[in-house]
């Protein structure tokens, strides 16, 4: 019964996601999102076949790879649905097979390679606590330095409406390169990690300080991830105290998606007014959940007619080889389609479709799975709640940012290192 429940929830999530895409096609047709009744049986068959991949999540135990892998499962399911209705003219059958194969080649190592790495150095309890306190101090200093370049209090006061278009303002922000790295790494990896550790150590004051610092990243960076991170991380930590970690990973996507769909249905029934539902659906169901899948449709179309990057979009490789693209891929995609903003995308679109094309994309996805497996190995023995909480903001980053950028710029490798050196009693050998 336990496994059946997980399977039902995963399939329910796929159903809710596809229903949300039907509503997206009504509300945002300008984004090339389509729906046709005559194609519906085919789309249902494709997604139903893909749902068999959920068996991997039903039978695997919780790990970092599980937590990141399930949003990837949702991303590919959404793309397969969009692919059935797409108005673009690339080889849709090849793209669909490639996407499905990429999902499987990523999930196999990400879900099942978990053997722990032997710690070469383990700090004492006192040393580890000093490391945590030092990270708090570093975060505070980073915030002060960032505020010296930008602190938009007006955006902070108006954030409740969720109607503020921050993208143009955010694109004008200029931080020194080192400070830019510190801001991203601190918000994505360092503060979530210290908060998770302080929760496990039952140090409420320091945990609250970590969340407070995290919230202050929004008026500096104007990042919507930063805006919601503090509340989201706290909610994940609380949920993981009472609910199994795998269930938290599934519900963390299913519940927000279902709320958006329910709001649209209520507005269609005229129980709620459209303005009351539009902001939530636009931010959660459209921007956060549809865009990663939609990016694969755009990237497949663009790179079916333009040169592949052969990974030249990676910064340090641009200095070693001639690259056909002298601007970020997200900007190139935006210029080609004229909508969607800077269309950054996940490893499936960038390291896969853009870099090597659909034929070889499953190989790059397999490498991505090995990276997630490394996260499993360095976090092996840690309490599942600590892994969930310290990685709480990473699913959205992995869905919207290339793997290489996620590892370095957003501090995933730093988080791996912190997990690796975490001492007992938090980490059990």
């Amino acid at each position: 019964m336990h496994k059946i429940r997980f399977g039902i929830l995963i399939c329910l999530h796929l159903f809710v996601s596809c229903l949300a895409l039907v509503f997206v096609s009504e509300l945002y047709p300008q984004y090339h999102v389509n729906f046709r009744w005559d194609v519906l049986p085919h789309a249902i068959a494709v997604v139903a076949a893909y749902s068999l991949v959920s068996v991997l999540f039903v039978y695997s135990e919780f790990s970092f790879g599980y937590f990141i892998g399930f949003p990837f499962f949702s991303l590919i399911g959404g793309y397969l649905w969009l692919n059935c209705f797409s108005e673009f003219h690339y080889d849709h059958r090849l793209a669909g097979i490639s996407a499905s194969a990429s999902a499987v080649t990523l999930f196999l190592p990400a879900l099942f390679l978990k053997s722990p790495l032997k710690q070469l150095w383990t700090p004492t309890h006192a040393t580890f606590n000093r490391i945590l306190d030092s990270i708090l101090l570093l975060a505070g200093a980073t915030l002060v330095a960032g505020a010296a370049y930008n602190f938009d209090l007006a955006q902070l006061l108006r954030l409740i409406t969720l109607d503020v278009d921050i993208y143009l303002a955010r694109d004008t922000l200029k931080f020194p390169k080192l400070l830019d790295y510190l801001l991203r790494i601190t918000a994505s990896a360092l503060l979530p990690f210290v908060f998770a550790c302080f929760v496990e150590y039952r140090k409420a004051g320091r945990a609250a300080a970590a969340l407070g610092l995290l919230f202050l990243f929004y008026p500096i960076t104007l990042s919507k991830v930063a805006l919601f991170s503090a509340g989201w991380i706290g909610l994940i930590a609380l949920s993981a105290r009472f609910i199994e970690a795998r269930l938290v990973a599934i519900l963390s996507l299913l519940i927000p998606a279902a709320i958006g769909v329910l709001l649209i249905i209520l507005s269609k029934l005229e129980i709620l007014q459209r303005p009351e539902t539009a902001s939530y659906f636009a931010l959660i169901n459209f921007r956060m959940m549809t865009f990663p899948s939609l990016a694969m449709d755009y990237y497949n179309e663009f790179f079916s007619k333009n040169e592949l990057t052969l990974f030249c979009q990676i910064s340090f490789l641009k200095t070693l080889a001639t690259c056909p693209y002298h601007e970020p891929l997200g900007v190139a995609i935006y210029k080609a389609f004229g909508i969607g903003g800077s269309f950054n995308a996940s490893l499936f679109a960038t390291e896969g479709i853009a870099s090597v094309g659909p034929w070889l994309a499953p190989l790059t996805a397999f490498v991505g799975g090995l990276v997630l497996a490394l996260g499993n190995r360095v976090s092996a023995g840690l309490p599942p709640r600590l892994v969930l909480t310290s990685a709480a903001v990473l699913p959205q980053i992995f869905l919207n940012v290339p793997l290489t950028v996620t590892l370095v710029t957003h501090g995933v490798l730093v988080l791996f290192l912190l997990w690796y050196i975490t001492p007992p009693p938090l980490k059990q050998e």
Side-chain angles (χ1 to χ4, degrees):
M1 285 298 295
H2 189 66
K3 289 182 172 59
I4 293 175
R5 181 182 65 176
F6 274 94
I8 291 173
L9 284 175
I10 293 171
C11 290
L12 177 61
H13 175 69
L14 278 179
F15 170 76
V16 169
S17 299
C18 293
L19 183 56
L21 289 173
V22 174
F23 293 147
V24 167
S25 70
E26 296 176 3
L27 298 171
Y28 305 100
Q30 68 271 29
Y31 282 85
H32 309 286
V33 181
N34 298 301
F35 174 76
R36 301 199 314 272
W37 286 103
D38 61 307
V39 182
L40 180 60
H42 173 66
I44 291 174
V46 168
V47 175
Y50 175 70
S51 69
L52 297 176
V53 177
S54 66
V55 172
L56 299 176
F57 291 89
V58 170
Y59 284 92
S60 61
E61 297 300 320
F62 176 78
S63 63
F64 172 69
Y66 193 105
F67 190 40
I68 304 299
F70 186 70
F72 278 156
F73 172 81
S74 179
L75 182 159
I76 297 297
Y79 168 68
L80 292 175
W81 176 273
L82 292 170
N83 186 41
C84 294
F85 299 97
S86 176
E87 66 182 39
F88 298 134
H89 301 292
Y90 60 86
D91 188 336
H92 291 281
R93 177 173 294 182
L94 172 61
I97 293 172
S98 174
S100 301
S102 296
V104 173
T105 57
L106 182 139
F107 296 151
L108 288 175
L111 296 179
F112 297 103
L113 293 182
K114 302 175 183 177
S115 58
L117 288 177
K118 182 179 179 180
Q119 287 181 292
L120 298 178
W121 175 71
T122 305
T124 64
H125 178 77
T127 300
F128 187 69
N129 273 278
R130 284 194 291 270
I131 291 173
L132 298 179
D133 289 338
S134 298
I135 291 174
L136 270 185
L137 292 174
L138 174 63
T142 301
L143 276 171
V144 171
Y149 287 88
N150 178 71
F151 187 87
D152 196 334
L153 184 59
Q155 294 283 14
L156 180 62
L157 295 175
R158 294 157 61 197
L159 62 86
I160 298 299
T161 66
L162 297 180
D163 291 327
V164 179
D165 185 0
I166 64 173
Y167 299 107
L168 293 177
R170 190 171 61 200
D171 289 342
T172 65
L173 296 182
K174 299 294 182 183
F175 298 105
K177 195 165 188 177
L178 178 59
L179 178 58
D180 190 40
Y181 275 106
L182 277 174
L183 286 167
R184 294 172 188 267
I185 292 171
T186 303
S188 302
L190 295 182
L191 281 175
F193 175 76
V194 297
F195 169 75
C197 291
F198 287 141
V199 167
E200 296 301 320
Y201 282 132
R202 301 182 185 276
K203 295 183 176 181
R206 284 180 168 82
L211 288 188
L213 289 173
L214 190 57
F215 179 76
L216 290 175
F217 272 79
Y218 173 73
I220 294 172
T221 63
L222 302 183
S223 165
K224 287 188 177 179
V225 174
L227 170 59
F228 294 105
S229 289
W232 182 249
I233 290 171
L235 181 61
I236 291 292
L238 180 63
S239 301
R241 187 177 183 86
F242 303 102
I243 304 174
E244 181 188 343
R246 289 188 303 167
L247 193 55
V248 173
I250 295 170
L251 294 179
S252 66
L253 285 185
L254 173 57
I255 292 177
I259 290 173
V261 168
L262 178 61
L263 289 174
I264 294 298
I265 292 174
L266 291 176
S267 71
K268 285 178 172 292
L269 296 174
E270 299 184 350
I271 296 173
L272 292 176
Q273 297 299 314
R274 180 59 60 86
E276 298 173 13
T277 65
S279 293
Y280 181 94
F281 189 86
L283 179 62
I284 303 300
N285 296 82
F286 182 49
R287 181 61 188 89
M288 296 179 68
M289 296 185 175
T290 298
F291 259 51
S293 299
L294 189 60
M296 293 187 66
D297 196 29
Y298 282 35
Y299 274 62
N300 269 307
E301 170 69 4
F302 182 85
F303 286 100
S304 69
K305 299 175 174 62
N306 295 279
E307 289 185 66
L308 300 176
T309 69
L310 301 178
F311 303 102
C312 74
Q313 76 274 9
I314 301 173
S315 297
F316 77 91
L317 290 181
K318 286 185 177 181
T319 62
L320 303 177
T322 301
C323 187
Y325 306 98
H326 303 291
E327 56 193 355
L329 285 186
V331 175
I333 298 295
Y334 172 64
K335 288 183 176 179
F337 294 93
I339 199 165
S342 182
F343 226 129
N344 295 315
S346 70
L347 66 90
F348 293 107
T350 50
E351 281 88 1
I353 297 166
S355 295
V356 296
W359 286 102
L360 295 180
L363 293 180
T364 61
F366 178 72
V367 174
L370 292 177
V371 172
L372 297 184
L374 176 62
N376 297 343
R377 300 188 68 188
V378 296
S379 62
L382 288 173
R385 181 171 67 173
L386 189 148
V387 176
L388 274 170
T389 307
S390 56
V393 301
L394 294 182
Q396 268 301 306
I397 294 173
F398 271 96
L399 288 178
N400 292 283
V401 178
L403 177 63
T404 48
V405 177
T406 303
L407 292 177
V408 179
T409 306
H410 290 279
V412 171
L413 290 178
V414 174
L415 182 61
F416 285 0
L417 177 61
L418 291 170
W419 281 343
Y420 176 69
I421 67 170
T422 300
L426 289 183
K427 192 170 190 176
Q428 303 299 324
E429 299 296 337

